[in-house]
Amino acid sequence: MNLAAATNESLAEASNVLIYSSMAVYTLAFFAYIAEWVFGSRSKVGRTAAALSASPAAASAAPAVKAQAGGTAVLERPEVITRSAAGMRDVPDGPGAAGGTFKGDLYGRIAVSLTVVAFVVEAGGVITRALSVQRAPWSNMYEFSITFSTVAVGSYLVLLALKKNVRWIGLPLVTTVLLDLGIAVTTLYTDSDQLVPALDSYWLWIHVSTAILCGAVFYLGAVGSILYLFRDSYENKLASGGTPGKFASSVMERLPSAASLDKFAYRINAAVFPLWTFTIIAGAIWAGDAWGRYWGWDPKEVWSFITWVAYAAYLHARATAGWKGRKAAYLALVAFACWLFNYYGVNIFVSGLHSYAGV
């Protein structure tokens, strides 16, 4: 074995170690997010929620703090605003919108810090995978999966860095990332190898990278839509005079209002849709270079187009028909299901020109 081959093998092994290490750190972050949700969160979100639900004279005041047995400082639980009426602000985003303890906020900070560490470690695994084969690290499903989860977490951290109150995404995101990486390392793993001739093009960097970014952001929108459905059911039960269970209340009160979740999902999907359009166009150009035709109704091409149509229908319905709420959320989830099938279903169960990617 020559020196270059030995170096590449060492880099591939290092990549595997980093991916497994990131899974360990994500697991710690998962438990920290669980603790945050159990104990609540005394964050800026909680104080703002209290101010919104207080009387106008006390709108700028922070919620009172009282001491309980054992010395734990606890915020007075403000009334939770569930419905956003016309002209009124929604409940702010983020866990702890119903108040909570200092301990909850501490666990939340630990969870985010662990997520940052895990992201850096996983990104290192993706980079070393690329160095081991000296190409873009997304020519098969394993590489696509580890890059996808890295970009999804990175997108979440960017939103936090931009001061967006999206910490409520942390728990479902880390849970999904662990599932994604678990499937990647146990089922989809493929040894480092060189590209087949059809993939040996600079369009690999352009087309596949934008596809990964779109999928990661579409995923965040899908999380918003799913949580919206639960929160909306909770609000409807309250509006009809029902009494949700203690567990449902403890979880739902730490989510943004249904209106905020619906708005979040719409804005996320609308922001990334033009990039998905570019992804399909870039793929068509690449197909022209690789196979001498821009469109051949290959299964991957068909399902990419179906996904585009589904998201276009969702955005069109929101913009023209005034669809908001549950109907729009269901349509958004159907669109994301099309994206998932385009990735997993087409690659595993359907044969076509893209089958060379393998698993």
Side-chain angles (χ1 to χ4, degrees), residues 39 127 141 196 198 215 218 300 311-312 335 347:
F39 291 107
I127 292 172
M141 290 185 68
V196 297
F218 280 148
K300 179 70 71 173
Y311 275 109
N347 282 6

Side-chain angles (χ1 to χ4, degrees), residues 56-200:
S60 60
V65 178
K66 62 181 181 180
Q68 287 186 340
T72 302
V74 181
L75 292 178
E76 294 280 7
R77 290 174 62 84
E79 178 184 357
V80 179
I81 303 171
T82 58
R83 289 288 184 186
S84 55
M88 296 181 60
R89 291 182 59 187
D90 299 331
V91 175
D93 296 341
T101 67
F102 289 95
K103 184 184 292 186
D105 189 52
L106 174 62
Y107 279 116
R109 294 174 185 273
I110 292 173
V112 172
S113 299
L114 288 170
T115 304
V116 172
V117 173
F119 165 76
V120 172
V121 174
E122 186 183 10
V126 173
I127 292 172
T128 52
R129 175 78 175 195
L131 293 174
S132 70
V133 289
Q134 301 177 2
R135 57 166 171 77
W138 42 70
S139 69
N140 53 61
M141 290 185 68
Y142 169 74
E143 295 174 352
F144 191 103
S145 294
I146 62 175
T147 307
F148 169 82
S149 57
T150 303
V151 174
V153 175
S155 300
Y156 164 68
L157 295 177
V158 167
L159 290 175
L160 287 179
L162 293 175
K163 307 299 182 182
K164 305 296 182 181
N165 291 317
V166 294
R167 212 158 78 186
W168 47 272
I169 297 178
L171 179 57
L173 172 63
V174 169
T175 303
T176 306
V177 166
L178 284 171
L179 291 173
D180 174 71
L181 291 178
I183 294 173
V185 299
T186 58
T187 304
L188 304 178
Y189 182 78
T190 303
D191 289 331
S192 299
D193 201 358
Q194 296 303 313
L195 293 170
V196 297
L199 280 179
D200 191 9

